[in-house]
Amino acid sequence: MGYDTKYIFVTGGVLSSLGKGLASASIGALLESRGLTVTIQKLDPYINVDPGTMNPFQHGEVFVTDDGTETDLDLGHYERFTHAKLGRDNNFTTGKIYHSVITKERQGEYLGGTVQVIPHITDEIKTSIRKASKNVDVVIVEIGGTIGDIESLPFLEAIRQFHNDAGKNNVIYIHLTLVPYIGTAGEVKTKPTQHSVKELRSIGIQPDILLCRTDRMLNADIKAKIAMFCNVGADAVITAKDVNCIYEVPLLFHQEGLDNKIVELLNIWTRAPRLENWETLCRQMNDPTYTVTIAIVGKYVDLTESYKSLNEALIHGGIPNRTRVNLKFVDSETIDANTCSLSLEGVDGVLVPGGFGSRGVEGKICAARYARENKIPYFGICLGMQIAVIEFSRSIAGLKMANSTEFDLSTPDPVIYLMAEWFDDKSGTVQRRDVHSDKGGTMRLGAYPCKLEKETLAYRAYGMEIISERHRHRYEFNNAYIEKLEKAGLNISGMAPSGELVEIVEIEDHPWYLGCQFHPEFKSRPMTPHPLFRSFIAAALKYSGSREIEKK
């Protein structure tokens, strides 16, 4: 551990979903604006080794890094707000920590000693934290869960010990808590924050800074009261007020003096913050010229966190087009050929995202057909690309029973199938999979190269021939059908450099209809919107304008 590295530990109290991920990401953005290099790590208390096999309804989106690590969705926030390059050392779970310790015990590394939570588990957690500290000025570590959860205790004990290991000038604790407004009383209440800090102090951690999540700015009297009962300075009580746009959070925190307090406590000399790009971004987002509505047709629409990166990428795509993007979530299980037009009436674009399993697939196919026949911009991502291929095969190529073997093992035309063997361009090895392979960590994961065909929609969007995008899927386009589908009008505009794997498909005679096997949303940033989302929203805007002309 380099003693020049500083550590910020972010915890949360009272209840979940207060926004620790956004707070951590915003702290990273503020420190970067001062010229510091940062990385951000998430320590999750659940026992799963990673979230890869977890239902999105329970845990939200699974984010994927360049190196193929399946992570918590908060890592998406970290990458969108900072320039940090994240990977396997930026997300550790209880399952991952215990798996490592048990493996070492089986191999005899503990020399016959009794393996215990303290010191073995806590030492493993501290080792994991140090893994993220290479070549950066500041490591921000978010502890998942809520203070008081039994699952979090080993992590909290580890970060308590870390204060002594790294030195008091190198570690600070930031605690995010709730200060609710009670309408009947006409005042904000500080007691939840007091109890949360008391719980944290009972395990040996005194917070240095409090982020108080609330719906209004806290006045000096309220801050003084919180400071007195929680044993912090009044200037360390920061209002974390609700905002209209999440990208306003760094500006709000700066206005509250958070970055000044952090560098003071950590004894860091930095330049003055440069936040002009964040100010410009927020102005652009709050004052758009146009509006479009995009339908997201999926089966996880009841929990929008399931599509967090996707939602943000669509919003990013609107920024260079001076367009506010309204999202309409359509449950694919509720639509069919008879109801599709009603569900998608008035939208300016249709997006079918990734997913797994057969539930809701026929509704997605109906949505792809509706978009194709009515010349509505269509964007298919991962499964959404496969849906477009299935629909095209059935409706245009004459393969009436075409399907994916994921949904129908006996289909006579498996245009999408489980590829058992392929050459992996990233690792330079031959990969093998079958139906008996473990579900966790066996998909095609992480960044892979793709070669684009010139004079295509994809090439015009990217403006380059070789791209790299992140994947998370198990089924692939069946190359046995390339010739037949191309003759019918399907345009394969992107393939792996090896020529084995289809990456992007388009169709002729349509203003914007594209499916990609990868997940472009994982690489979109508010300052640098992804080329495909920028192009898709531009097409949706053009379609919206043409509809307005028709109305007149």
Side-chain angles (χ1 to χ4, degrees):
M1 175 172 55
Y3 284 94
D4 290 331
T5 302
K6 307 291 185 176
Y7 297 85
I8 300 172
F9 293 102
V10 180
T11 57
V14 184
L15 46 79
S16 61
S17 301
L18 282 181
K20 291 194 303 298
L22 279 173
S24 301
S26 298
I27 292 167
L30 285 175
L31 296 181
E32 279 195 344
S33 77
R34 288 174 167 264
L36 299 171
T37 56
V38 305
T39 192
I40 314 181
Q41 185 184 61
K42 177 74 180 287
L43 300 181
D44 272 311
Y46 53 76
I47 298 176
N48 303 63
V49 173
D50 60 46
T53 59
M54 295 170 70
N55 189 320
F57 280 126
Q58 290 190 18
H59 193 68
E61 168 191 83
V62 177
F63 189 77
V64 178
T65 56
D66 271 353
D67 66 2
T69 305
E70 294 174 288
T71 76
D72 183 81
L73 63 82
D74 280 326
L75 272 76
H77 291 312
Y78 306 161
E79 285 202 351
R80 285 188 285 273
F81 277 69
T82 71
H83 295 91
K85 299 297 183 184
L86 308 182
R88 62 177 54 86
D89 291 336
N90 293 89
N91 194 194
F92 286 88
T93 66
T94 294
K96 200 171 179 180
I97 295 294
Y98 272 79
H99 184 272
S100 178
V101 169
I102 291 169
T103 299
K104 290 177 180 178
E105 185 273 332
R106 292 289 82 188
Q107 293 172 348
E109 292 191 27
Y110 298 121
L111 304 177
T114 302
V115 179
Q116 298 175 293
V117 173
I118 302 172
H120 299 94
I121 296 300
T122 52
D123 282 353
E124 189 70 25
I125 293 169
K126 290 189 289 183
T127 298
S128 301
I129 294 170
R130 294 184 188 107
K131 286 180 179 179
S133 65
K134 299 173 185 175
N135 304 317
V136 295
D137 297 316
V138 182
V139 181
I140 302 164
V141 183
E142 177 193 347
I143 311 299
T146 306
I147 297 302
D149 295 345
I150 191 170
E151 297 95 338
S152 301
L153 288 177
F155 291 102
L156 296 172
E157 172 60 20
I159 68 171
R160 183 196 69 79
Q161 296 175 17
F162 209 92
H163 188 276
N164 294 329
D165 295 348
K168 66 178 183 179
N169 290 327
N170 295 320
V171 173
I172 63 170
Y173 301 100
I174 297 179
H175 189 55
L176 176 64
T177 185
L178 180 68
V179 180
Y181 176 77
I182 306 301
T184 53
E187 60 183 354
V188 295
K189 292 294 184 179
T190 66
K191 194 64 73 174
T193 292
Q194 294 177 43
H195 281 295
S196 181
V197 171
K198 180 181 178 182
E199 184 81 25
L200 188 59
R201 293 176 69 188
S202 73
I203 58 178
I205 298 175
Q206 166 63 52
D208 298 288
I209 296 173
L210 296 178
L211 300 180
C212 299
R213 182 70 187 270
T214 180
D215 66 349
R216 63 201 63 219
M217 298 304 295
L218 301 180
N219 61 38
D221 290 340
I222 293 294
K223 287 186 176 184
K225 181 179 180 181
I226 293 171
M228 178 178 65
F229 283 105
C230 296
N231 195 33
V232 298
D235 62 343
V237 179
I238 306 297
T239 304
K241 180 182 173 294
D242 298 344
V243 292
N244 295 323
C245 164
I246 61 173
Y247 302 111
E248 295 175 20
V249 176
L251 299 176
L252 173 64
F253 282 174
H254 173 67
Q255 176 187 323
E256 285 285 288
L258 176 59
D259 49 323
N260 284 330
K261 190 63 181 177
I262 288 173
V263 297
E264 173 195 324
L265 290 170
L266 288 175
N267 194 27
I268 310 174
W269 182 91
T270 74
R271 72 184 187 206
R274 298 173 181 171
L275 294 167
E276 296 84 0
N277 54 347
W278 288 98
E279 293 167 350
T280 300
L281 172 68
C282 291
R283 280 198 302 271
Q284 291 173 332
M285 295 188 69
N286 290 325
D287 189 27
T289 305
Y290 312 105
T291 300
V292 297
T293 300
I294 302 298
I296 299 178
V297 183
K299 63 180 180 179
Y300 305 126
V301 295
D302 289 336
L303 179 65
T304 57
E305 291 285 281
S306 301
Y307 302 119
K308 191 62 182 176
S309 292
L310 182 65
N311 302 345
E312 292 303 312
L314 285 164
I315 292 169
H316 301 165
I319 296 170
N321 290 295
R322 295 179 295 159
T323 299
R324 174 176 285 115
V325 180
N326 294 327
L327 306 180
K328 178 180 181 179
F329 293 94
V330 178
D331 187 345
S332 60
E333 291 188 87
T334 66
I335 61 175
D336 55 30
N338 297 319
T339 62
C340 191
S341 59
L342 291 175
S343 298
L344 299 180
E345 185 179 9
V347 303
D348 304 305
V350 175
L351 191 150
V352 175
F356 299 92
S358 60
R359 186 163 53 88
V361 161
E362 291 303 321
K364 296 174 185 178
I365 291 173
C366 287
R369 180 173 183 173
Y370 182 83
R372 179 180 57 79
E373 292 179 339
N374 291 279
K375 308 295 186 185
I376 303 172
Y378 175 87
F379 196 178
I381 294 176
C382 196
L383 176 61
M385 183 205 90
Q386 298 173 4
I387 290 295
V389 171
I390 294 169
E391 192 283 319
F392 183 89
S393 300
R394 291 179 182 180
S395 301
I396 305 299
L399 306 175
K400 301 297 183 182
M401 302 298 290
N403 214 327
S404 166
T405 56
E406 181 180 8
F407 316 132
D408 182 4
L409 281 172
S410 61
T411 176
D413 289 300
V415 292
I416 305 296
Y417 76 133
L418 182 65
M419 182 177 279
E421 184 176 299
W422 75 93
F423 180 79
D424 184 350
D425 291 292
K426 184 168 66 172
S427 66
T429 61
V430 175
Q431 296 289 307
R432 295 179 176 86
R433 303 283 186 273
D434 60 36
V435 293
H436 303 295
S437 297
D438 289 346
K439 297 298 184 187
T442 61
M443 291 182 282
R444 189 169 168 227
L445 290 165
Y448 287 86
C450 171
K451 184 178 181 181
L452 303 181
E453 293 294 323
K454 294 184 177 180
E455 305 302 324
T456 61
L457 187 60
Y459 185 86
R460 289 193 294 273
Y462 281 97
M464 61 181 69
E465 188 175 1
I466 302 295
I467 61 171
S468 175
E469 294 286 1
R470 299 177 188 178
H471 294 67
R472 183 176 183 256
H473 64 98
R474 188 171 283 109
Y475 290 79
E476 303 276 358
F477 185 105
N478 189 340
N479 291 351
Y481 289 87
I482 287 179
E483 185 177 354
K484 186 174 185 64
L485 295 182
E486 282 187 326
K487 284 183 178 179
L490 188 72
N491 184 13
I492 296 174
S493 57
M495 291 195 75
S498 65
E500 285 189 289
L501 302 169
V502 173
E503 295 279 18
I504 307 175
V505 300
E506 304 173 12
I507 64 171
E508 301 171 358
D509 193 29
H510 194 286
W512 209 99
Y513 194 101
L514 182 147
C516 58
Q517 186 59 78
F518 47 81
H519 286 267
E521 68 270 25
F522 292 151
K523 297 187 76 170
S524 186
R525 308 287 181 269
M527 310 290 185
T528 54
H530 192 282
L532 291 182
F533 284 95
R534 183 182 64 232
S535 178
F536 176 57
I537 297 303
L541 183 60
K542 185 176 181 180
Y543 176 80
S544 174
S546 66
R547 283 198 302 110
E548 292 301 317
I549 292 173
E550 287 177 6
K551 286 181 184 178
K552 294 176 182 178

